């Protein structure tokens, strides 16, 4: 359970950095508390997308992973971020990613920050 909480916090932090750095990834809302709650819900949604959908997409695109020496990972991460944005819209959350190239850059930022936070945060069960 603690591992789940740590990964959710890392996802939320990584999403917050991407929102802060890129103007085309937005998190609108009223108060700071509402934005923080929305960010946590979006982080949970992002974690769910990465847990359920990403392995299936990776399996289906395995030849492209081999052919591009793993660079297709940037595209897969961007698609997962865009799917999260779409799902957030379906749940009336105020999180939006505007455009594919923004999603590619955002996915790269999220991957780097999430990796760094997972190194720093404890990883016990």
């Amino acid at each position: 359970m603690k591992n789940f909480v740590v990964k959710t916090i890392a996802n939320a932090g990584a999403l917050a950095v991407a929102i802060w750095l890129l103007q085309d990834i937005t998190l609108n809302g009223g108060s700071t508390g509402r934005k923080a709650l929305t960010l946590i819900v979006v982080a949970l949604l992002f974690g769910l997308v990465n847990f359920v959908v990403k392995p299936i997409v990776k399996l289906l695109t395995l030849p492209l992973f081999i052919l591009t020496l793993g660079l297709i990972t940037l595209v897969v991460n961007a698609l997962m971020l865009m799917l999260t944005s779409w799902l957030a819209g379906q749940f009336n959350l105020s999180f939006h990613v505007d455009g594919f190239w923004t999603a590619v850059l955002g996915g790269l930022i999220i991957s780097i920050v999430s990796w760094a936070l997972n190194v720093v945060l404890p990883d016990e069960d």
Side-chain angles (χ1 to χ4, degrees):
M1 181 68 175
K2 187 175 181 182
N3 191 25
F4 173 75
V5 173
V6 167
K7 292 217 181 276
T8 302
I9 291 170
N11 277 339
L15 285 165
V17 170
I19 291 166
W20 179 61
L21 289 175
L22 301 173
Q23 69 182 19
D24 288 337
I25 298 179
T26 57
L27 179 69
N28 300 323
S31 66
T32 304
R34 179 146 173 86
K35 284 183 181 179
L37 181 63
T38 302
L39 187 63
I40 296 294
V41 173
V42 170
L44 287 168
L45 199 58
F46 186 64
L48 185 66
V49 165
N50 280 327
F51 180 73
V52 175
V53 179
K54 192 173 184 177
I56 296 168
V57 172
K58 279 184 150 183
L59 181 64
L60 293 174
T61 59
L62 184 62
L64 288 174
F65 274 94
I66 295 168
L67 185 65
T68 63
L69 302 175
L71 288 176
I72 195 73
T73 304
L74 293 172
V75 174
V76 171
N77 288 343
L79 293 174
M80 296 305 108
L81 187 58
M82 291 181 76
L83 179 60
T84 301
S85 174
W86 179 79
L87 287 171
Q90 298 302 310
F91 289 113
N92 291 324
L93 298 171
S94 58
F95 174 77
H96 182 68
V97 178
D98 188 29
F100 176 75
W101 293 109
T102 301
V104 170
L105 191 55
L108 182 63
I109 291 168
I110 290 169
S111 295
I112 293 168
V113 173
S114 180
W115 169 80
L117 288 175
N118 280 316
V119 167
V120 173
L121 294 173
D123 192 17
E124 303 167 4
D125 276 335

